[in-house]
Amino acid sequence: MELVLFRRRWMELAACVVCIMATLLVYGVMQERIIRVPYGSSGEFFQYSLFLVFCNRILTCAFAITVMLVLKKDLSPVAPIYKYGGVSLSNILATTCQYEALKYVSFPVQTLGKSAKMIPVMIWGTLIMQKRYGLRDYLLALCITAGAAVFLLYGEGAQTKSLSGGENSIWGLALMAGYLGFDGFTSTFQDKLFKGYSMEVFNQILYVTLCSCALSTFGLLTQGNLFPALSFISRHRDCFFHVFLLSLAATASQFFINHTIKTFGALTFAIIMTTRQLVSILLSCLWFAHPLSWKQWLGTLLVFGSLYYKSYAGATDRTKQAVKEPESVELQGKTDTAQQV
């Protein structure tokens, strides 16, 4: 029975990984199309990135409310609103730091930042959820981080300078540190809300996205970009269609991300996001027959070898625990019998 449950859990995790990667792939493609490709005969570019966040959150809220009504779930919040707002604010700050950092740091620093998601999650897990990680856990996290960084750094076309053409700056490194810190806090605090309040996935999605809607609306109004963005998509109907597809992908990814954090924890989600780029590039190289350098193969071996060892060690630990429990029960029974005699 335990083996069947273990296999089901791994199948569920595999489905989450595939769905997260697929939805984020669509999201990335549509974001690239909207931002980088001009619209209309005049070659007009869409310049309102915060409006995209607003549209994503509006559709996600509508989807969450619809599902909760169909399933007859309670729409009231199960946690204080400020805690949902904390997740929303940290997510927005992480995204802002990530985009701004691209202007000031080189590709190697960007890569190390994107590959080092596990360490901040483990630190936040210790501080917020009082989790305890052993030396083995930290070594595995470092191996996965190093392997992903090596794979991405030594791929074809890896640029060495920042978008502004300059070298790394203290401000850029501070932004990357802020991105890692806020990103790790977001998923860890989501995990804490799920466990602390027995929270449903759609309940958290609804109220976090409602807070994000309020924050993005405030930003659009203060910047004066709301009505210009609406005017742009009214002039270019194909842009409206692209924004709708982008929002659909964002909504789907939010569901799978939240389900993964609730079911498997923030650290597992960090592992998925760390290896996502590596898997995407690896599949592309295999599909289009692009050769990998020996350094990339080394990085791949390091990442997947670490993941295999992590799963093997986890299964071994569970087996030992399962053996100990009957022994402790049997020992307790003998003690009780002796006391009765």
Side-chain angles (χ1 to χ4, degrees):
M1 179 62 71
E2 185 176 348
L3 181 59
V4 173
L5 292 175
F6 179 73
R7 288 178 177 174
R8 285 181 181 175
R9 188 172 176 82
W10 270 102
M11 290 176 65
E12 183 180 3
L13 178 60
C16 288
V17 171
V18 172
C19 291
I20 288 174
M21 290 187 176
T23 53
L24 290 180
L25 175 62
V26 175
Y27 181 86
V29 170
M30 296 313 304
Q31 188 178 49
E32 190 84 3
R33 170 62 185 90
I34 294 169
I35 298 296
R36 294 188 177 274
V37 180
Y39 287 92
S41 57
S42 60
E44 195 175 1
F45 283 91
F46 187 86
Q47 301 176 348
Y48 314 100
S49 56
L50 190 57
F51 181 77
L52 299 179
V53 176
F54 172 76
C55 292
N56 295 347
R57 301 304 185 262
I58 287 290
L59 186 61
T60 303
C61 283
F63 177 71
I65 291 173
T66 302
V67 171
M68 293 177 75
L69 288 174
V70 170
L71 298 178
K72 298 181 180 180
K73 299 289 186 180
D74 186 9
L75 291 177
S76 59
V78 298
I81 293 297
Y82 73 88
K83 292 192 175 182
Y84 296 104
V87 174
S88 174
L89 181 60
S90 64
N91 186 32
I92 290 174
L93 290 173
T95 304
T96 302
C97 288
Q98 181 185 15
Y99 285 143
E100 287 298 313
L102 297 179
K103 302 175 184 178
Y104 302 101
V105 298
S106 62
F107 179 80
V109 176
Q110 297 170 33
T111 302
L112 289 174
K114 293 178 181 178
S115 303
K117 290 176 177 285
M118 293 178 64
I119 304 298
V121 169
M122 295 173 76
I123 294 173
W124 281 118
T126 302
L127 295 176
I128 295 176
M129 303 184 69
Q130 287 74 52
K131 290 187 175 181
R132 294 293 178 264
Y133 297 101
L135 179 62
R136 184 182 70 185
D137 298 311
Y138 282 103
L139 288 176
L140 285 172
L142 287 173
C143 287
I144 294 172
T145 298
V150 167
F151 183 90
L152 296 172
L153 284 173
Y154 292 99
E156 293 182 2
Q159 59 188 24
T160 58
K161 291 189 177 182
S162 61
L163 293 180
S164 60
E167 299 298 326
N168 300 321
S169 65
I170 299 298
W171 175 240
L173 296 176
L175 286 170
M176 283 304 301
Y179 160 67
L180 287 172
F182 287 123
D183 186 70
F185 176 84
T186 300
S187 57
T188 305
F189 200 62
Q190 283 181 288
D191 195 5
K192 182 178 177 63
L193 289 181
F194 279 130
K195 291 180 170 60
Y197 291 93
S198 299
M199 187 180 293
E200 296 282 345
V201 169
F202 285 106
N203 184 278
Q204 185 173 133
I205 290 176
L206 173 60
Y207 285 97
V208 169
T209 50
L210 278 175
C211 292
S212 296
C213 280
L215 291 171
S216 57
T217 301
F218 176 78
L220 286 169
L221 291 175
T222 53
Q223 294 172 6
N225 288 336
L226 178 60
F227 296 107
L230 291 172
S231 176
F232 186 97
I233 64 174
S234 66
R235 294 194 306 272
H236 305 286
R237 298 299 176 86
D238 50 341
C239 180
F240 174 82
F241 178 69
H242 294 153
V243 171
F244 179 70
L245 288 180
L246 177 79
S247 300
L248 279 179
T251 299
S253 67
Q254 281 300 308
F255 168 74
F256 293 117
I257 287 171
N258 278 267
H259 179 76
T260 301
I261 293 173
K262 177 179 173 62
T263 308
F264 302 101
L267 184 58
T268 300
F269 173 65
I271 294 173
I272 294 172
M273 296 305 291
T274 299
T275 57
R276 181 174 68 91
Q277 287 181 301
L278 183 150
V279 172
S280 298
I281 297 173
L282 187 61
L283 289 176
S284 175
C285 291
L286 294 175
W287 182 265
F288 295 104
H290 293 159
L292 296 174
S293 67
W294 69 268
K295 293 178 181 178
Q296 285 183 297
W297 281 116
L298 178 62
T300 303
L301 180 63
L302 192 57
V303 169
F304 288 104
S306 300
L307 290 174
Y308 175 79
Y309 178 76
K310 178 177 174 62
S311 63
Y312 173 78
T316 303
D317 291 342
R318 282 189 293 271
T319 302
K320 290 180 180 179
Q321 184 64 29
V323 171
K324 285 181 180 179
E325 288 178 357
E327 289 179 351
S328 62
V329 171
E330 183 180 354
L331 181 60
Q332 182 63 37
K334 290 181 178 178
T335 303
D336 294 342
T337 303
Q339 290 176 351
Q340 289 174 4
V341 173

